Amino acid sequence: MRKPQIDYAAVFHALPGMVALLTPDLVYADANEDFLRLAGRSREQLLGRYIFDVFPENPNDPAAAGMRETQASMQRVVSTGERDTMALLRYDIEDSQLPGQWVEHFWSPVNAPVLDPDGRVVLIVHRVEEVTELIRARGGTGSDSSRARVLEAELYTRSRELQEVNERLRRAHAREREVALALQAAMLPAPTPVGHHRAAVRYRPAVGTLNVCGDWYDLVDLPGDRIAVAVGDVVGHGLEAAGVMGQLRSALSAAARVADGPARALEALGLYARHVDGAESSTVVKTYIDWDTHTLTYSSAGHPPPALLHPDGTVTFLDQATDPPLGARPEHVRRPEASTPFAEGATLVLYSDGLIERRDEDIDTGLARLTDSLVRHGRARPEALADAVLADLLPSTGNTDDTVLVIIRL
């Protein structure tokens, strides 16, 4: 059966309701028939023109804020790549047949991005629901009309107040994200060589304003030809998570230098975490790499298992020493530890759950996707391999959870 040939341009113009397309510079690129009809403008009056040249603010209303609020919404869409639903908005329009005469309108707009393959905003879908008649109809006729105007004014005022509150919250969240990322950058070690071995390290913050700063990594140079590497994930986000992350990373880094193995280091970290607010249920995996004996020794506190890419192209997950997250048990219990040999040229991969977990998938699907990526790109150098894995596993528009990836060629 042949697929029907769909004329998407015709579909766009036939869409019910007011819909327009604008460039990131807020210039009209197209508008459907309902938009032209209800806005009282011809196609020639819109296309190629700046939105607020076509629809300026009512100069007779000193309290008018429709232009500012619409502009702010569209700029948020361009900067974040996310949909922005506006509060009920009053935006008067000048009558095209009677210059200087302004017609009162109430709109309920939604602005949504159209992204290119690289995740850049190339168009803004501006959908507007005309609710003027609905608001007026609430008041009925005669003496009830005054109540309608009161209700109308109240709705408008309340919607503007709500939008102002939302805007203040958005700015506060954005500032918290900025501070938290700066704090995290100061706490995490730079991806410099450990001993004479090089690690490829990647950190990708979440796209949400608060979903950042729970993930961390650490690399420690040990006596002999050995290093210890860890990846962890703190429950929570924002500044609090960044602070907890810094405490746990520092404590585990110190423990790794004196403990006789990863399990003992995690036991010390677990005891410490009991006295750190916000550290409960944090996950971490610790791996010691010994090049003299070609051995990996590891222990996991509820964290996704490291992957070992062998020189023959097969992948093994280090999942034989997995225990609950930090603070999950009421009493202290010794943690398990396992060892496995590795061949020269193998690749060790540690990561946080943001790399593999999706809300609508089983975790095995994410692990299979990671395996496939490692097999396909395994011959690449660690830096190139890290970039390829992130490109394969993370959405082009960004992930809703932050992600850490550490790759070491053994």
Side-chain angles (χ1 to χ4, degrees), residues 35-53:
F35 191 96
L36 299 173
R37 178 175 57 83
L38 293 171
R41 297 294 185 270
S42 67
R43 190 170 303 280
E44 291 71 22
Q45 289 175 310
L46 258 67
L47 302 192
R49 298 189 62 194
Y50 182 57
I51 181 174
F52 302 118
D53 288 342

Side-chain angles (χ1 to χ4, degrees), residues 23 41 49 88 106 122 136 183 199 208 234 249 276 280 323 327 334 353 386:
T23 70
R41 297 294 185 270
R49 298 189 62 194
L88 179 66
F106 285 86
V122 293
R136 288 176 177 169
L183 178 61
V234 172
R249 190 198 69 79
V276 177
E280 301 85 1
D323 218 30
R334 291 181 67 87
D353 57 8

